[in-house]
Amino acid sequence: MLTVTGALRVLIDPRTERDGDLAIDDGSADATTLDASGCVVTPGLVNAHHHLLQTAFRTLPGTRGVPMADWLPAMAGAYSRVGHDPELYGLAAAAGAAEGLLSGVTTVADHHLNWPADATAEDSVALAAATVDAVRGLGGRLVFVRGSAGDDPDRAGESAEAILSGLLHDDAVGGVDPDGRLQIAVGPAGVHSDGEATFRALGEVAARHGLRRRTQANEQVDTAIALERYGERPLDLLEEWGWLAPDVTVAHLCDVTDDEVARLAAAGVTATHAPGCDVPMGWGIAPVARLIAAGVPVGLGTSGGGSNDAGHLLADARLAMQVSALVGPQLPARQVLGMATEGSAIGLGRPELGHLGAGSAGDLCVWDVSGVADAGVADPVAGLLWASPGRRPRHVVVGGRVVVRDGRLVTADEDELAARLRERLARTPV
């Protein structure tokens, strides 16, 4: 049993909060107590859209303030020069997941898009396993999305099947292992990189195994390429290809019409907002208020280090709140915290995540709001976003297990993780 004591405020979910203690039954006979005096307790944050490999490729020359049509080949060139191997994948994932845990992210969805052109299905299992082992070894939860960016459709489907059989337990349900620590999903990068055959191939894998599907749509290059290549907008193509459905989550959605918002809502699609990628790259701002008002559940993601050089979801929640006023009414802090927790969990099909109520998985963050950066804050929950940009939690708990205590990883050494990734990159420089 884990007991969190003396909290100033406990955010059970985006709509419910209270003062006092919180008990989490993790099934263990051992008693653990965390001091939360002067703190706000929230559910663990759920990063619904990341590209963990990009953690090794931040601030690359030629990747900032450029059109996406230039950014994509610049990133692809960097991957090719460094090389694809399980060591790199594992080290990048470990650094990215550690960064996330240290900033309150207990679940990360890794939309993995980049695979060696000559990789066999068995090779892809080894690469995916390196990512999975890195995140699980740190104590976090991972949603591994077998993505595609121009892959051969048949090879993509075969790889997804191999990853499922090679990494999930036999009694996994809907692509989720019984302990909830690993989930497998599928999803092409978008219509700008993959055609109908790839969407259908990965969609068939999802249908056979009950997996969630994820893709990206309606950033600037996505819309432009779709119009040039097909004479249609991305969401038109996704609808024709069977990818507007309740099991689908679409990231970005910066450029959507009122009619498209209504169609997304009618189809039961969920969305992921990624302002920490879209805003600095100049790719647009998703109209989150319009999406939510139409009935589209919206989660929050950081996207990868190639466009957003940080994996700090709470910082991106602050940004989402601030820029929302540029495309509609300003989003309240609690609503955006809900996006970073419950909203993301809905898009993953994981009702046990993103809240601290009955049936929760027991993931939480303890945020110290007693310091000078929070002095004068009247509303400590809203202050999590408005005050102290870049704050890190005092404690982080995943499934009742403490993985960050007093701001330090329990499961690994932060400096060692960074040093190992730097050493690997030095061997094959970008």
Side-chain angles (χ1 to χ4, degrees):
M1 177 73 74
L2 171 74
T3 304
V4 182
T5 62
L8 180 67
R9 193 72 55 85
V10 178
L11 188 74
I12 304 299
D13 57 44
R15 298 160 300 278
T16 308
E17 57 194 72
R18 60 173 172 76
D19 301 336
D21 301 342
L22 177 71
I24 299 291
D25 186 359
D26 61 353
S28 171
D30 298 329
T32 302
T33 301
L34 289 176
D35 177 16
S37 56
C39 296
V40 171
V41 179
T42 70
L45 306 184
V46 180
N47 188 340
H49 187 64
H50 204 331
H51 306 291
L52 285 173
L53 180 60
Q54 291 182 15
T55 304
F57 300 93
R58 306 197 238 204
T59 69
L60 294 182
T63 63
R64 289 296 169 272
V66 299
M68 191 188 289
D70 296 332
W71 179 85
L72 288 169
M75 293 298 297
Y79 301 145
S80 297
R81 288 189 292 275
V82 173
H84 296 264
D85 58 67
E87 181 190 25
L88 174 65
Y89 281 38
L91 293 173
E99 179 186 17
L101 286 169
L102 287 164
S103 56
V105 173
T106 53
T107 301
V108 59
D110 176 27
H111 196 171
H112 190 92
L113 301 173
N114 304 98
W115 304 89
D118 58 350
T120 65
E122 291 73 22
D123 292 336
S124 70
V125 174
L127 293 168
T131 299
V132 170
D133 292 345
V135 179
R136 291 183 61 133
L138 292 171
R141 301 184 192 271
L142 175 68
V143 181
F144 187 84
V145 186
R146 201 302 178 184
S148 169
D151 295 7
D152 175 82
D154 292 335
R155 288 167 70 94
E158 291 168 5
S159 167
E161 288 281 4
I163 288 170
L164 281 164
S165 61
L167 299 185
L168 285 180
H169 289 89
D170 291 339
D171 51 356
V173 177
V176 183
D177 263 347
D179 66 0
R181 297 299 180 110
L182 175 63
Q183 177 179 356
I184 304 294
V186 294
V191 303
H192 62 273
S193 65
D194 294 280
E196 180 176 1
T198 304
F199 276 87
R200 293 207 179 275
L202 289 176
E204 289 167 5
V205 174
R208 280 194 294 273
H209 300 281
L211 310 181
R212 299 290 302 183
R213 295 182 287 167
R214 308 181 71 80
T215 191
Q216 305 170 124
N218 291 59
E219 292 173 300
Q220 59 176 210
V221 74
D222 190 61
T223 302
I225 291 177
L227 289 169
E228 179 182 353
R229 188 176 296 167
Y230 303 100
E232 297 182 80
R233 287 171 62 82
L235 294 181
D236 298 326
L237 295 166
L238 292 181
E239 187 168 31
E240 293 169 14
W241 299 348
W243 275 67
L244 289 191
D247 64 319
V248 174
T249 299
V250 181
H252 301 297
L253 294 174
C254 301
D255 170 33
V256 285
T257 66
D258 288 342
D259 174 69
E260 288 172 333
V261 170
R263 286 163 57 199
L264 290 167
V269 172
T270 54
T272 302
H273 186 30
C277 160
D278 296 326
V279 171
M281 296 299 289
W283 295 340
I285 303 171
V288 173
R290 276 199 288 141
L291 289 163
I292 292 174
V296 179
V298 179
L300 193 68
T302 59
S303 199
S307 56
N308 178 358
D309 300 292
H312 196 306
L313 193 67
L314 195 73
D316 283 7
R318 184 178 193 266
L319 178 64
M321 181 179 65
Q322 291 176 318
V323 302
S324 62
L326 300 176
V327 292
Q330 186 166 73
L331 300 170
R334 284 168 176 77
Q335 186 172 30
V336 180
L337 282 169
M339 290 164 54
T341 51
E342 185 180 59
S344 292
I346 290 171
L348 297 173
R350 302 291 296 277
E352 77 277 20
L353 302 178
H355 67 95
L356 295 173
S360 81
D363 299 354
L364 61 86
C365 299
V366 178
W367 308 90
D368 190 341
V369 297
S370 65
V372 67
D374 291 284
V377 169
D379 180 348
V381 174
L384 289 178
L385 298 191
W386 284 114
S388 190
R391 74 168 76 236
R392 285 165 61 149
R394 180 190 291 179
H395 312 301
V396 177
V397 175
V398 180
R401 178 189 177 196
V402 180
V403 295
V404 173
R405 184 187 292 272
D406 296 322
R408 302 292 298 177
L409 287 170
V410 173
T411 49
D413 182 271
E414 179 181 353
D415 295 335
E416 181 181 348
L417 293 176
R420 290 177 62 197
L421 179 56
R422 290 192 191 100
E423 190 276 330
R424 169 63 181 82
L425 293 172
R427 275 188 266 140
T428 52
V430 177

